[in-house]
Amino acid sequence: MDKLRIEGGRRLKGRVTIGGAKNAALPAMAASLLTDESLTLDGMPDVWDVGTMRRLLLHLGASVSQHSLSDVTLSGASLKSHEAPYKLVKTMRASVLVLGPLLARYGRARVSLPGGCAIGARPIDQHIRALEQLGAKIELAHGFVNAETDGLKGASIRFGRQTVGGTENVMMAACLARGETVLDNCAREPEIVDLAALLTSMGAHIEGAGTSRIRIHGVERLTGAHHEIVADRIETATYAVAGALVGDEIEIDHCRPEHLEPLIDILRKTGTEVVSLPQSLIVRGGTRPIECVDIETAPYPGLATDMQAQLMVLLTQAVGTSKVHETIFENRFMHVAELGRMGASIELDGSRALVYGPSALTGAEVMATDLRASASLVLAGLVATGRTTIDRIYHLDRGYEHIEEKLEALGASIERLVAND
Ligand code: EPU
């Protein structure tokens, strides 16, 4: 398994360009199953999860052609299977996003139940319940969701809790259902707005994406389209925190600052200078001591859970005690023990943490446990004195494109140690 080796203590300066959002790219790829025409997606991030979704689409019989690293054309014209097998779903939970499209277009789908993962139990009960309300017959057996329908029908559905994947899955299915669907208590993340824009350019009738009520008028068929994936707000946030920690001045280009308001607000409260421009952010750290601040994750437009681990590293450098409250996932503090091994002083109590700062972090051998936890270890390595070696960075490769190259270009001393196995 590859590792990352970081020599900490370097100041960063320069420009970094943000890629397309992994969490918008994955549902967009699943949407290709809704049409037999070609769907061309630009701005695709070069990350492993996109490769896993590509493998899943190929397994189903879709055709996938890659024109460049960031430009791919997909077509769900002649499927040979309706099954998302365990080996792919266990590698990437977002595989479950093929459930709604397969059911809507082919009338059946068999998708392995994802099960829990490092950050929590992560059930898909809300996806299933809503698809049943659209008229699907669903049975859970032998670790699979078996779904079939002789035609989905529009319905009024209220999600019992806000779910990003659930909103996406059901929105895609409802595009080909007969009549009108009204979804309430929807997730409002920018990735949902991006998916709705793609579906609309495929001929779907969708109103209200980005609000808690989405109204969809079903159509008989969807066409091909050309779509550019929205910029990755979590990648942006990760470089912004790097800037706050060790940046003289980092310009983060090709991003959408309006998707990051709570983060920008928190960074400013810590004393970091942030200039927000229409498509870029300029972050200057180190001009004053970092101040402590309390943070709480929430569904969009609140602070994303996917930014919590990275911000926690910044709080280890703040003067005083910061409170962190994680409200989305029940087990998203796997980074805390590893940060402790680097000298952080963090006390955990269920979904809350107290971060005592400032702590002088020291380089250590640490282990990545999930995607965003891995990003927090990279940030800790940048600010620590001495050498940090991060093992199991396949977690990082799932969602960050060329992270060591981007950080090196900013002046970090970071190297990938390629495994021989
Ligand atoms: N939940 C249920 N039942 C459901 C669905 C969700 O109880 O049927 C719960 C989950 O267990 C969780 C909460 O609702 O506690 C929110 O889950 P959600 O469905 O919104 O998450 P997701 O769609 O599985 C996406 C992102 C995650 C991100 C979350 C929250 C993708 C591919 N993944 O997951 O991204 O953390 O939304 O914003 O879009 C990451 O990129 O590292 C990542 C984990």
Side-chain angles (χ1 to χ4, degrees):
M1 275 182 270
D2 289 4
K3 298 181 185 181
L4 273 186
R5 186 161 69 198
I6 301 171
E7 302 289 342
R10 305 273 179 101
R11 302 291 302 173
L12 304 188
K13 193 175 171 62
R15 179 179 298 175
V16 59
T17 301
I18 297 304
K22 163 186 84 83
N23 290 348
L26 299 175
M29 293 176 83
S32 68
L33 298 171
L34 289 164
T35 176
D36 53 15
E37 295 182 16
S38 296
L39 188 63
T40 301
L41 301 172
D42 283 345
M44 294 289 281
D46 183 19
V47 298
W48 281 20
D49 274 7
V50 163
T52 306
M53 185 57 99
R54 184 172 182 271
R55 290 214 309 276
L56 173 56
L57 294 177
L58 288 170
H59 168 90
L60 294 171
S63 74
V64 181
S65 52
Q66 185 106 20
H67 313 295
S68 69
L69 279 181
S70 65
D71 176 0
V72 67
T73 297
L74 311 154
S75 167
S78 53
L79 290 202
K80 58 178 200 280
S81 164
H82 304 90
E83 178 173 318
Y86 178 59
K87 70 173 191 301
L88 289 172
V89 179
K90 79 168 192 249
T91 316
M92 183 187 70
R93 299 178 48 85
S95 305
V96 81
L97 290 170
V98 301
L99 177 61
L102 284 176
L103 191 59
R105 177 120 181 282
Y106 296 95
R108 64 198 169 100
R110 184 172 148 81
V111 174
S112 174
L113 277 164
C117 72
I119 61 177
R122 303 183 75 180
I124 56 163
D125 56 305
Q126 299 294 323
H127 305 227
I128 291 173
R129 206 184 121 260
L131 291 171
E132 281 176 338
Q133 286 177 272
L134 287 178
K137 288 196 191 70
I138 298 186
E139 176 199 75
L140 306 183
H142 307 292
F144 275 84
V145 180
N146 296 308
E148 57 177 38
T149 179
D150 45 19
L152 298 179
K153 282 197 209 78
S156 282
I157 298 166
R158 185 175 175 82
F159 289 106
R161 69 176 290 171
Q162 281 185 30
T163 153
V164 174
T167 304
E168 292 166 344
N169 229 338
V170 180
M171 186 165 79
M172 288 190 277
C175 286
L176 291 179
R178 214 167 336 119
E180 188 175 70
T181 298
V182 180
L183 301 176
D184 272 307
N185 197 25
C186 295
R188 293 180 279 166
E189 272 67 3
E191 293 75 22
I192 289 168
V193 177
D194 199 53
L195 177 62
L198 164 64
L199 294 168
T200 302
S201 62
M202 293 168 74
H205 293 175
I206 303 175
E207 277 168 38
T211 73
S212 55
R213 170 172 284 191
I214 302 180
R215 211 179 268 277
I216 302 150
H217 200 88
V219 293
E220 291 236 321
R221 60 183 290 275
L222 293 173
T223 65
H226 194 139
H227 179 76
E228 164 125 23
I229 301 294
V230 67
D232 195 317
R233 64 198 164 99
I234 311 299
E235 188 191 20
T236 309
T238 304
Y239 287 101
V241 174
L245 274 169
V246 288
D248 283 338
E249 178 172 301
I250 298 189
E251 184 175 336
I252 306 169
D253 269 354
H254 189 253
C255 66
R256 298 281 295 271
E258 73 272 28
H259 294 159
L260 290 144
E261 277 175 16
L263 176 92
I264 293 172
D265 189 43
I266 289 164
L267 291 181
R268 287 185 176 144
K269 282 188 183 145
T270 64
T272 306
E273 257 181 72
V274 184
V275 181
S276 178
L277 300 167
Q279 288 198 25
S280 64
L281 277 179
I282 298 170
V283 181
R284 295 187 195 101
T287 49
R288 3 188 204 136
I290 299 171
E291 288 176 42
C292 58
V293 52
D294 296 342
I295 65 172
E296 177 167 287
T297 61
Y300 191 85
L303 176 70
T305 170
D306 294 342
M307 299 176 193
Q308 178 257 109
Q310 303 89 315
L311 276 171
M312 197 181 260
V313 177
L314 180 62
L315 299 179
T316 68
Q317 303 305 299
V319 182
T321 304
S322 306
K323 293 181 189 156
V324 177
H325 187 196
E326 169 59 53
T327 71
I328 307 296
F329 291 110
E330 61 275 24
N331 191 25
R332 210 171 200 181
F333 282 132
M334 302 284 280
H335 43 287
V336 168
E338 296 301 282
L339 292 176
R341 297 185 54 251
M342 296 178 73
S345 171
I346 304 171
E347 215 174 273
L348 273 185
D349 180 11
S351 63
R352 293 171 196 271
L354 289 176
V355 185
Y356 301 101
S359 298
L361 300 186
T362 54
E365 288 189 41
V366 289
M367 184 114 79
T369 48
D370 71 77
L371 173 56
R372 308 304 168 185
S374 318
S376 80
L377 297 179
V378 172
L379 295 174
L382 293 176
V383 76
T385 51
R387 174 176 294 180
T388 295
T389 309
I390 308 175
D391 201 353
R392 301 205 176 164
I393 55 159
Y394 57 84
H395 289 291
L396 199 63
D397 292 330
R398 291 185 54 180
Y400 285 91
E401 73 178 6
H402 314 149
I403 190 166
E404 71 273 24
E405 289 162 31
K406 290 186 181 186
L407 283 170
E408 195 174 27
L410 291 171
S413 168
I414 179 167
E415 186 188 1
R416 178 179 291 257
L417 309 175
V418 179
N420 295 320
D421 54 19

